[in-house]
Amino acid sequence: MPEAITIAVDAMGGDDAPSAEVEGSLQAAREYGARVLLVGREDELGKELRKHGPVPSAVEIVHAAETVTMNDNPARALRSKRGSSIRVAAEQVRRGRARGLISAGNTGAVMAAALTVMGRIPGVKRPAVAQAFPTLKSAWTLLLDVGANVDCSVDMLVQFAVMGDVYSRVLLGCENPRVGILSIGEEEHKGNGLTGEAYPLLKRQPLNFIGNVEGHDLYSGKADVIVCDGFTGNVALKVSEGLVAAIKSMLRESLEATVVRQIGYGLAKGAFDDFRTRLDYTEYGGAPLLGVKGGVIICHGRSNANAIKNAIRVAVELEKGGINQKIERNLERSLERV
Amino acid sequence: MPEAITIAVDAMGGDDAPSAEVEGSLQAAREYGARVLLVGREDELGKELRKHGPVPSAVEIVHAAETVTMNDNPARALRSKRGSSIRVAAEQVRRGRARGLISAGNTGAVMAAALTVMGRIPGVKRPAVAQAFPTLKSAWTLLLDVGANVDCSVDMLVQFAVMGDVYSRVLLGCENPRVGILSIGEEEHKGNGLTGEAYPLLKRQPLNFIGNVEGHDLYSGKADVIVCDGFTGNVALKVSEGLVAAIKSMLRESLEATVVRQIGYGLAKGAFDDFRTRLDYTEYGGAPLLGVKGGVIICHGRSNANAIKNAIRVAVELEKGGINQKIERNLERSLERV
C-alpha cells in the first residue's frame, strides 16, 4: 500500500468553520485514505472531532490560535497574525509535514500565505487561480486566471497556458488539451492590447493552441483550457455565479405561480437537481492555485463538508499526479519558445 | 397628433434578412405609428413587402445595391461598398431624413457607419454599446460598454457613466440610477489599474455613484448602470449568453431522461417559457449605441420580426425622450468635475 498523502486543512476559514472542515476531513480520511492536519484552535477542533466518535489516527490537530477573517487585509493580516490558521497550515507544507493545503477562508490571505510561506515553483512568475466550468459535452473547461492577478503581462498569460495544460491533462483527464485565449472575436486581430500581443507567443508554444475563444466558449466545450487576465476571469466567474442564482430564483418564482406548474415542478424535480449539481462549483472541490510549491485548493467561503472532502481529494490527486514537477519541466521547455 | 418619427432600417443585415426586417417594420408602423425607411435592394424589398398585402404609406423603400456581410472587415467594407445598406441607412440620418437607425448586420460596420457618417454628439470621446440585463428585482441593469471599445481610458469610463445614467432615466424609467463600476471586489482598492483610477473621478461626478460592483451584480439589482471597458463587458455579455444556452440544453437533456420528468416538463412548460422570455435579450430590441448623432440600435444577427419591431420602438423612444440633447448637456456638466 502506498504511503498516505498528508493535506493541511485550514479548519477556521469557511463560513461554517470548523464543523464543515472537521466533517469533510473525517470523510476524506475514510473515503480516500488521506492523512489530514486540521489547523486551528485545539480545544474547538477537539470538541468538534469528538462529536463524530473516536478520532481516527489519520486526522491530527495542529494548534493555531488566530484566524484571518474575511474583513482582514490579507497581506497585513498575514504579517500581524503569525499564529493564524492559514499561515500555520502553509508552514506545514513548507516544512514537509504536508504536501498540500486547502482553505475556505479569505482568498487573498490563502494566496498570500501560499506565495510567501510556501513559495513559487522555479520559473513561475505569478501563480494563477484556475476554475473548471462544466460544458455541454460533459467535459470541463478550465479558465485561468480567475482572480490572483488583476493586471497581467503577456508572459504571465503564456505561463497560465502551460500550467492549465498540465492541470487539464493530469486532473481532468484531457489527452491533448485545446488551449484558447479569451477574447471578443475569433479572428487573431480581434481583442485588446494584451490578447493581441499574447496570441503570436502562444502560437509558438508546444501547446495545442486554438486561438481566440469568446465568453460563451466557457460552456460550449470548444476549448479545454482558456487563459485570460485575472480581472476578466474573475468577472466571468462571478457573472456565471450571479446568473445561475438569478435563473434558479426566476424559475422558482415562475413555478410557484400556478398549481399545475407546482405539480409539474414536483415531477421534474429530479431534473432540476441534476442540473444544479452540474452547475454547482462547490461540488467539485474548489479552485486550485497553480504555480506554488505544494497543492493548494481555494474553497468557496460557503463550503460544506462535501466540498471540503472533495477539495482534499483534489489536493491529493495534484500530488499523486506530480503536477508541480510537470509544470516546472514544461515551463522550462516553454521558455525556449518565447 | 404629433408628427411620426422616422427610423431607417438596414433591411439587409440580419440572418433572416430581409423578411424579418420587413415584417418587423410593418408591425412597428402599425403598432407604434412609426415611419420606416427600409434600406436595401429595391426589387427584393418590394417583393417581400407585397407578401403582406397593400404597402402602408408609413413604410418606404430606399434603394441600396450592396450589403456588408458578417465576414467583411467593417472599416474596409464601409469604404469600398459605398452603396451598402448600412451606409445608406446612416446617410438617411445624417441628411435629416430619419432620426434613428437599426441594423441586425455586422456590428463593427454598424458602429463604423454611425461614427463616420453620422458622427459623435459634441463632447463624446467614443460611443459605447449598452446592454440591459434583467435582474431579480424585475428591473434592468444597464452594462456599458459591451464591445465598442476594447481598450478604454479613464475619461471614457466617466463618459459611459454619464450616458448610461441618462439612458436609464429616459428609457428604463429609473429616477435616480445607482451607477457602479465593474470590478472584482467591493472595496475601493480592489480592481485593476483602470478601475482604480476611474473610481475617484466617478465619485466627483454629479451621479448617484455607488462604487465597485462585481460580476454577479449584473443580475442582483444592486446597480442600475454599470460601467466597464468594452473588452470586459463583451466577455460578461457572451458568458451570460453561453450560460443561458448551456442551462437550456442541460435542462432539456435532464428532462428527457424519464417519462415522469417529461410529464413534469409538460406541466411546467409555461414557467420555462416565462423564464426564457426574461432572459432572451432579443425580445428587448437590441442594444443602443450611445454617443452618436441619432438613435442607433444594434440588433442581434438572429433577430426575428419581433426583435426588429422592438428595436424600432426603442429607437423612437430615444428620439422622443430627447436622449442625445440630455447626454450633451450632462457631459458638459460632467467635464466641470473631472
Side-chain angles (χ1 to χ4, degrees):
Chain A
M1 197 179 141
E3 210 190 327
I5 289 166
T6 305
I7 305 299
V9 173
D10 169 10
M12 312 309 283
D15 300 349
D16 249 347
S19 85
E21 280 80 354
V22 167
E23 198 184 333
S25 296
L26 287 167
Q27 289 174 3
R30 201 164 46 231
E31 293 181 34
Y32 314 129
R35 291 198 71 240
V36 178
L37 304 180
L38 272 171
V39 185
R41 276 188 292 276
E42 197 158 22
D43 50 346
E44 222 175 305
L45 293 177
K47 211 165 75 185
E48 192 64 40
L49 267 175
R50 284 188 295 273
K51 285 186 191 166
H52 298 272
V55 180
S57 64
V59 176
E60 189 186 320
I61 296 174
V62 174
H63 180 64
E66 293 170 291
T67 305
V68 177
T69 71
M70 292 297 180
N71 299 321
D72 279 328
N73 174 297
R76 209 175 307 141
L78 212 67
R79 280 194 304 271
S80 64
K81 296 181 173 177
R82 302 192 75 85
S84 66
S85 56
I86 179 58
R87 187 173 184 116
V88 172
E91 279 164 359
Q92 304 307 305
V93 183
R94 182 170 57 80
R95 291 186 198 158
R97 293 202 59 214
R99 309 306 296 258
L101 155 68
I102 77 149
S103 175
N106 183 318
T107 302
V110 181
M111 292 192 283
L115 202 57
T116 59
V117 178
M118 293 159 53
R120 284 167 294 172
I121 297 171
V124 169
K125 282 175 194 295
R126 292 279 308 168
V129 181
Q131 176 76 48
F133 290 80
T135 73
L136 289 178
K137 305 195 173 148
S138 313
W140 296 93
T141 291
L142 191 75
L143 181 72
L144 71 169
D145 173 34
V146 297
N149 313 280
V150 286
D151 291 297
C152 284
S153 64
V154 176
D155 40 3
M156 278 161 69
L157 286 192
V158 173
Q159 291 204 339
F160 296 168
V162 173
M163 295 195 291
D165 172 76
V166 172
Y167 186 88
S168 177
R169 288 172 195 271
V170 175
L171 265 284
L172 304 176
C174 188
E175 269 185 38
N176 187 23
R178 295 156 300 166
V179 179
I181 178 166
L182 186 59
S183 190
I184 63 166
E186 288 184 7
E187 302 86 346
E188 179 169 351
H189 70 272
K190 286 200 174 163
N192 59 13
L194 181 68
T195 65
E197 268 189 79
Y199 193 110
L201 288 184
L202 284 164
K203 224 155 108 180
R204 286 210 296 277
Q205 287 294 318
L207 294 168
N208 181 11
F209 180 58
I210 60 166
N212 286 350
V213 298
E214 300 183 67
H216 47 249
D217 292 315
L218 251 58
Y219 298 98
S220 72
K222 188 178 168 186
D224 302 298
V225 175
I226 300 178
V227 294
C228 64
D229 68 87
F231 184 87
T232 308
N234 189 270
V235 168
L237 173 61
K238 286 183 183 158
V239 165
S240 296
E241 289 175 345
L243 182 52
V244 169
I247 288 175
K248 277 184 193 172
S249 167
M250 287 180 193
L251 271 176
R252 197 183 314 121
E253 254 177 56
S254 282
L255 287 167
E256 283 168 357
T258 71
V259 174
V260 172
R261 287 185 184 176
Q262 278 176 30
I263 296 171
Y265 178 71
L267 293 174
K269 198 174 172 308
F272 285 96
D273 293 343
D274 283 2
F275 134 83
R276 277 166 127 153
T277 306
R278 275 165 82 178
L279 287 164
D280 190 352
Y281 314 120
T282 62
E283 285 286 306
Y284 298 97
L289 178 69
L290 299 176
V292 291
K293 285 184 186 159
V296 176
I297 307 294
I298 297 173
C299 300
H300 209 287
R302 289 195 305 269
S303 292
N304 55 18
N306 193 46
I308 297 291
K309 178 189 82 172
N310 280 315
I312 296 172
R313 173 181 55 76
V314 177
V316 167
E317 284 175 15
L318 285 172
E319 177 63 23
K320 277 192 186 159
I323 190 167
N324 283 355
Q325 296 80 342
K326 287 174 183 159
I327 285 178
E328 188 174 349
R329 206 163 53 229
N330 287 9
L331 280 178
E332 278 168 21
R333 282 197 297 169
S334 157
L335 279 173
E336 297 160 11
R337 312 275 191 112
V338 174
Chain B
M1 199 179 141
E3 209 189 330
I5 289 166
T6 305
I7 305 299
V9 173
D10 169 10
M12 313 307 284
D15 301 349
D16 249 347
S19 86
E21 279 80 355
V22 167
E23 197 184 334
S25 296
L26 286 167
Q27 289 175 4
R30 201 164 47 231
E31 293 181 33
Y32 313 129
R35 290 197 70 240
V36 178
L37 304 180
L38 272 172
V39 185
R41 277 187 292 275
E42 197 159 20
D43 51 346
E44 222 175 303
L45 293 177
K47 211 165 78 187
E48 192 64 39
L49 267 175
R50 285 188 295 274
K51 285 185 191 166
H52 298 272
V55 179
S57 64
V59 177
E60 189 186 322
I61 296 174
V62 174
H63 180 63
E66 293 170 292
T67 305
V68 177
T69 70
M70 292 296 180
N71 299 319
D72 279 328
N73 174 298
R76 210 177 304 142
L78 212 67
R79 280 192 305 271
S80 64
K81 296 180 173 177
R82 302 193 74 87
S84 66
S85 57
I86 179 60
R87 190 178 179 112
V88 173
E91 279 164 358
Q92 303 307 306
V93 183
R94 183 170 55 82
R95 290 186 200 158
R97 293 201 59 214
R99 308 307 296 257
L101 154 68
I102 78 147
S103 174
N106 182 318
T107 302
V110 181
M111 291 192 283
L115 202 56
T116 60
V117 179
M118 293 158 53
R120 283 167 294 172
I121 296 171
V124 169
K125 283 175 193 294
R126 292 278 307 168
V129 181
Q131 175 77 48
F133 290 80
T135 72
L136 288 178
K137 305 195 172 146
S138 312
W140 296 93
T141 292
L142 191 75
L143 181 71
L144 73 169
D145 174 32
V146 297
N149 314 281
V150 287
D151 291 298
C152 284
S153 64
V154 175
D155 40 3
M156 278 161 69
L157 286 192
V158 173
Q159 292 205 337
F160 297 168
V162 173
M163 296 196 291
D165 172 76
V166 172
Y167 186 88
S168 177
R169 286 171 194 272
V170 175
L171 265 285
L172 304 176
C174 188
E175 268 185 40
N176 187 24
R178 295 156 301 168
V179 178
I181 179 166
L182 186 59
S183 190
I184 63 168
E186 288 184 8
E187 301 86 346
E188 178 169 352
H189 71 273
K190 286 200 173 163
N192 60 14
L194 182 68
T195 64
E197 269 188 80
Y199 194 110
L201 288 184
L202 284 164
K203 225 155 106 178
R204 285 211 297 276
Q205 287 293 319
L207 294 168
N208 181 9
F209 180 57
I210 60 165
N212 286 350
V213 298
E214 301 183 66
H216 48 248
D217 292 315
L218 252 57
Y219 298 98
S220 72
K222 187 177 168 185
D224 302 298
V225 176
I226 300 178
V227 294
C228 64
D229 67 88
F231 185 88
T232 308
N234 189 270
V235 167
L237 173 60
K238 286 183 181 158
V239 164
S240 296
E241 289 175 345
L243 182 52
V244 170
I247 288 175
K248 278 183 192 172
S249 166
M250 286 179 194
L251 271 178
R252 197 184 312 122
E253 254 176 58
S254 281
L255 288 168
E256 283 169 355
T258 70
V259 174
V260 172
R261 286 184 186 176
Q262 280 176 30
I263 297 170
Y265 179 69
L267 293 173
K269 199 176 171 305
F272 285 95
D273 294 343
D274 285 0
F275 134 82
R276 277 166 128 151
T277 306
R278 274 165 81 177
L279 288 164
D280 190 353
Y281 314 122
T282 63
E283 285 285 308
Y284 298 98
L289 178 68
L290 299 176
V292 291
K293 285 184 186 160
V296 177
I297 306 295
I298 298 173
C299 300
H300 209 287
R302 289 195 306 269
S303 291
N304 56 19
N306 193 46
I308 298 291
K309 179 189 81 172
N310 280 314
I312 296 172
R313 173 181 55 76
V314 177
V316 167
E317 284 176 15
L318 285 173
E319 177 62 24
K320 276 193 186 158
I323 189 166
N324 283 356
Q325 295 82 337
K326 287 174 184 159
I327 285 178
E328 189 175 348
R329 204 164 53 229
N330 286 9
L331 279 178
E332 277 167 23
R333 280 197 297 171
S334 158
L335 278 172
E336 297 161 12
R337 310 279 190 111
V338 175

